[in-house]
Amino acid sequence: KQEVTQIPAALSVPEGENLVLNCSFTDSAIYNLQWFRQDPGKGLTSLLLIQSSQREQTSGRLNASLDKSSGRSTLYIAASQPGDSATYLCAPYGQNFVFGPGTRLSVLP
Amino acid sequence: DTGVSQNPRHKITKRGQNVTFRCDPISEHNRLYWYRQTLGQGPEFLTYFQNEAQLEKSRLLSDRFSAERPKGSFSTLEIQRTEQGDSAMYLCASSFGGPSVSEQYFGPGTRLTVT
């Protein structure tokens, strides 16, 4: 059964910092991995989808990497802004649809 | 393309009552998913459809829960004899799927409170 962990659970940084969010999963037999952000009380917004054959995917200030064999993905956020404050979740898609618990990010002005 | 929509957005019900939620996916998407999310946790998978066929159900989905997707368009999730433990955010997502899972797009969710 797939298990997903995200470290750190919470993070508070001053505006402008570059930061890295980590996602680990136990079953490396995945098709792809998706990163989301979730604002309080809202649904999930898709950020990036990395195919299992890819190593990286970029969208604006976001860069996600995937190392399937070691069961890890990282989300890199460059030049963080207060509007980036949200919970970030990862979801490795394989035989099961399992989401990580999320990293709660606060970017202070 | 108006995205995934869910109705109602909020539902307050008394324990023992039945409730039904609706999800309208992105029109060209053939896959539709239901998840449940409680505070501080990631979404938990409940079930998913490919077109009108329900392909997988989680063990979380007790006999009190049923989902349908008639004609492969919108979907409904019904909870019978609600319990306080059913209080959660119910999320719907859709994707255009082939053999592997493609990008999922989520709706805004329905928040259920059982009193």
Side-chain angles (χ1 to χ4, degrees):
Chain A
K1 180 191 169 189
Q2 180 75 279
E3 293 182 6
V4 185
T5 55
Q6 290 189 245
I7 294 172
L11 184 62
S12 185
V13 299
E15 182 177 4
E17 276 205 6
N18 302 325
L19 49 96
V20 176
L21 308 181
N22 297 291
C23 170
S24 298
F25 47 95
T26 55
D27 184 355
S28 61
I30 63 169
Y31 299 116
N32 46 40
L33 184 144
Q34 192 168 0
W35 281 93
F36 298 88
R37 71 171 278 168
Q38 186 174 30
D39 295 291
K42 302 291 175 78
L44 280 67
T45 300
S46 176
L47 297 173
L48 290 163
L49 178 79
I50 313 177
Q51 301 290 344
S52 60
S53 57
Q54 295 178 304
R55 301 280 296 187
E56 282 190 11
Q57 187 70 263
T58 297
S59 176
R61 294 183 295 109
L62 304 179
N63 175 276
S65 67
L66 175 63
D67 184 344
K68 204 173 81 158
S69 60
S70 66
R72 293 180 186 177
S73 177
T74 60
L75 179 67
Y76 175 82
I77 303 176
S80 58
Q81 303 171 357
D84 294 332
S85 298
T87 297
Y88 290 79
L89 301 105
C90 66
Y93 296 140
Q95 294 301 314
N96 308 108
F97 301 98
V98 181
F99 283 68
T103 293
R104 192 170 65 254
L105 173 64
S106 295
V107 181
L108 307 174
Chain B
D1 180 359
T2 57
V4 179
S5 61
Q6 292 187 245
N7 287 288
R9 296 291 307 279
H10 303 274
K11 178 72 177 178
I12 300 174
T13 191
K14 293 185 177 178
R15 190 177 54 186
Q17 298 294 306
N18 299 343
V19 294
T20 300
F21 310 141
R22 176 176 171 132
C23 171
D24 287 88
I26 293 171
S27 57
E28 64 268 25
H29 284 181
N30 58 344
R31 289 191 176 181
L32 187 148
Y33 312 80
W34 285 100
Y35 295 89
R36 180 173 67 188
Q37 187 178 29
T38 53
L39 201 62
Q41 304 296 317
E44 294 176 293
F45 170 76
L46 293 177
T47 188
Y48 95 95
F49 294 83
Q50 178 147 327
N51 301 311
E52 64 275 11
Q54 188 173 19
L55 295 189
E56 191 172 335
K57 284 175 63 171
S58 164
R59 288 187 218 115
L60 292 174
L61 218 63
S62 75
D63 291 344
R64 297 185 296 106
F65 288 69
S66 63
E68 294 184 342
R69 194 183 181 197
K71 303 178 183 176
S73 56
F74 71 92
S75 176
T76 58
L77 177 69
E78 181 183 16
I79 308 174
Q80 297 182 326
R81 305 181 304 281
T82 52
E83 302 172 356
Q84 287 189 319
D86 297 330
S87 295
M89 176 78 90
Y90 289 83
L91 295 165
C92 174
S94 70
S95 71
F96 184 73
S100 63
V101 179
S102 62
E103 192 167 3
Q104 293 192 36
Y105 294 86
F106 277 76
T110 295
R111 180 165 296 285
L112 173 66
T113 302
V114 182
T115 61

